[in-house]
């Protein structure tokens, strides 16, 4: 997610789950090819499994970017065909590619040849006046034939005119059944559902038939839910027992960043969703919001903020 799942966020999420696949923010193929690569797509080996999401609509350029991403060590290269922002539309990529399955197929085919890791696509069920069934099914046929290893479907349309990107994540209605129908038409091809899944229980309901689920806002806004992923879906213990331990485990990564001149807030902004509903959570967020942004703020600020949250043992003793 743009501005959210940067490498610092991903480093934290990886402390909460070993197994969930993490995705980068969308990076345009041009930026990967011509931009400051290490800054844009550099990542830590501990983030694996991690996918690089690309934006673009030009097969040659996407192929170059996919090759670079694979050489960087990404486990998957994903093509964004779901973003409705104006900037993306003016570049004729993102969700407006739902209208051009032939071009997307060319892009995917070029990326598959260029990168020696799986190439996947993330899409909507259609845009604007398109009939969702016709558009999604034709789109899926095209990218599958081009070699896409999986399709991630954000199960709502994007309305390209008149809705902000934010509204386009909530106003067009969700149609999960259509994604299940698509899966029945492609039993051997991995299909992943995204959109509106608020927690792991909601996600589990789809895994009977589908190959995966993608949680976006819920995972970012309530990272604690990631603690349940390994036990619930992979039969493994979570890497840490609870969020206090996760923050402790994150500290060395933050310390290294501070040494490089990064700000505490660059890291702690991804922690604001922790401890939701617990006594002290609001004070935790307040200290982070007001103190972690100060130049020179150090780990002591994070420790102070964490110290304001009641621990389970204290909660239990008080009951
Ligand atoms: C701040 C923000 C940034 C996003 N950026 C991207 C992006 O770069 N690429 C992408 O495929 N989807 C992006 N999305 C959309 C999400 O990946 C997801 O498809 C959408 O939020 C619906 O899933 P959810 O209900 O689980 O959040 C973004 C969403 C948010 C809230």
């Amino acid at each position: 997610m743009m501005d959210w799942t940067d490498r610092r966020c991903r480093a934290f999420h990886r402390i909460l789950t070993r197994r969930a696949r993490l995705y980068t923010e969308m990076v345009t193929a041009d930026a990967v090819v011509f931009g400051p690569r290490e800054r844009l797509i550099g990542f830590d080996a501990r983030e694996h499994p991690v996918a690089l999401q690309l934006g673009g609509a030009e097969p040659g350029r996407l192929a170059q970017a996919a090759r670079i991403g694979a050489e960087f060590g990404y486990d998957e290269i994903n093509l964004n065909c779901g973003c409705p922002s104006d900037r993306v539309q003016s570049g004729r990529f993102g969700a407006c590619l739902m209208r051009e399955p032939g071009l997307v197929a060319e892009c995917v085919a070029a990326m598959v040849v260029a990168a020696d890791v799986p190439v996947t696509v993330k899409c909507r069920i259609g845009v604007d006046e398109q009939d969702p069934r016709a558009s999604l099914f034709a789109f899926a046929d095209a990218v599958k034939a081009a070699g896409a290893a999986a399709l991630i479907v954000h199960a709502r349309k994007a309305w390209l005119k008149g809705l902000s990107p934010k509204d386009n994540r909530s106003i067009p209605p969700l149609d999960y059944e259509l994604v299940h129908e698509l899966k029945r038409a492609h039993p051997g091809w991995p299909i992943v559902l995204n959109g509106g899944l608020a927690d792991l229980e909601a996600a589990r309901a789809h895994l009977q038939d589908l190959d995966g689920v993608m949680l976006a806002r819920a995972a970012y806004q309530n990272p604690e839910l990631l603690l349940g992923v390994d036990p619930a879906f992979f039969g493994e213990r979570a890497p840490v027992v609870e969020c206090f331990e996760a923050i402790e485990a994150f500290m060395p990564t933050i310390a290294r960043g501070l040494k490089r001149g990064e700000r505490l807030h660059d890291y702690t902004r991804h922690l604001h969703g922790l401890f939701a509903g617990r006594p002290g959570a609001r004070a935790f967020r307040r200290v982070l919001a007001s103190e972690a942004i100060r130049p020179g703020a150090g780990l002591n600020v994070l420790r102070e903020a964490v110290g304001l949250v009641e621990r389970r043992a204290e909660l239990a003793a008080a009951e």
Side-chain angles (χ1 to χ4, degrees):
M1 286 177 281
M2 305 285 290
D3 194 45
W4 285 12
T5 57
D6 63 12
R7 58 186 294 179
R8 302 170 190 120
C9 169
R10 298 192 306 264
F12 181 62
H13 285 184
R14 182 55 74 217
I15 290 171
L16 300 165
T17 163
R18 278 190 202 92
R19 302 295 300 269
R21 178 161 292 229
L22 304 177
Y23 285 76
T24 66
E25 306 165 90
M26 180 182 71
V27 191
T28 67
D30 280 347
V32 171
V33 173
F34 300 114
R37 248 172 238 173
E38 181 54 38
R39 186 168 69 71
L40 288 171
I41 64 166
F43 68 97
D44 191 283
R46 275 172 286 207
E47 290 174 37
H48 287 294
V50 58
L52 170 64
Q53 188 186 62
L54 295 176
E58 209 278 299
R61 190 58 45 75
L62 278 166
Q64 280 176 292
R67 179 181 300 120
I68 293 166
E71 284 167 2
F72 258 69
Y74 281 97
D75 299 291
E76 167 187 334
I77 309 291
N78 176 266
L79 177 63
N80 182 319
C81 298
C83 178
S85 83
D86 287 344
R87 193 173 65 86
V88 161
Q89 282 186 56
S90 66
R92 280 188 54 238
F93 60 95
C96 54
L97 287 174
M98 292 302 299
R99 292 192 203 284
E100 301 192 68
L103 174 59
V104 177
E106 276 180 50
C107 293
V108 169
M111 293 163 78
V112 166
V113 170
D116 55 5
V117 296
V119 172
T120 62
V121 176
K122 178 162 178 269
C123 69
R124 298 275 184 148
I125 60 175
V127 293
D128 295 337
E129 76 299 334
Q130 281 185 316
D131 170 58
R133 197 176 182 288
S135 61
L136 178 64
F137 278 54
F139 186 90
D141 283 344
V143 300
K144 181 183 177 188
L151 184 65
I152 303 165
V153 186
H154 180 180
R156 56 162 61 89
K157 273 185 169 182
W159 294 338
L160 297 177
K161 286 187 191 70
L163 278 194
S164 68
K166 187 160 188 262
D167 287 345
N168 254 317
R169 290 180 212 121
S170 54
I171 293 181
L174 287 160
D175 188 348
Y176 292 152
E177 181 44 36
L178 189 62
V179 181
H180 283 262
E181 203 184 312
L182 181 71
K183 177 64 201 177
R184 289 193 288 276
H186 297 276
W189 188 49
I191 292 180
V192 176
L193 177 75
N194 166 246
L197 301 172
D199 52 38
L200 300 186
E201 277 318 299
R204 183 195 289 283
H206 296 283
L207 287 173
Q208 194 106 5
D209 303 315
L210 302 178
D211 304 278
V213 285
M214 172 186 269
L215 277 71
R217 287 166 293 188
Y220 186 85
Q221 289 162 349
N222 176 22
E224 194 164 359
L225 75 73
L226 293 172
L227 275 178
V229 169
D230 295 0
F233 300 128
F234 297 96
E236 294 176 11
R237 283 167 58 169
V240 291
V241 175
E242 34 86 271
C243 293
F244 293 101
E245 194 187 339
I247 292 182
E248 207 47 58
F250 196 31
M251 295 239 185
T253 304
I254 303 178
R256 282 193 295 277
L258 296 178
K259 252 196 195 139
R260 287 192 297 267
E262 296 168 32
R263 292 173 315 156
L264 182 65
H265 176 71
D266 295 336
Y267 291 84
T268 55
R269 71 191 183 97
H270 302 303
L271 308 181
H272 286 210
L274 288 175
F275 306 122
R278 269 204 211 193
R282 197 173 299 161
F284 168 78
R285 284 195 298 277
R286 196 179 50 239
V287 168
L288 291 186
S290 60
E291 304 297 323
I293 54 171
R294 294 187 199 280
L299 285 176
N300 54 322
V301 171
L302 179 54
R303 289 213 170 84
E304 183 200 334
V306 171
L308 296 165
V309 183
E310 270 186 48
R311 303 201 173 228
R312 290 244 183 266
E314 291 168 23
L315 288 176
E319 273 165 11

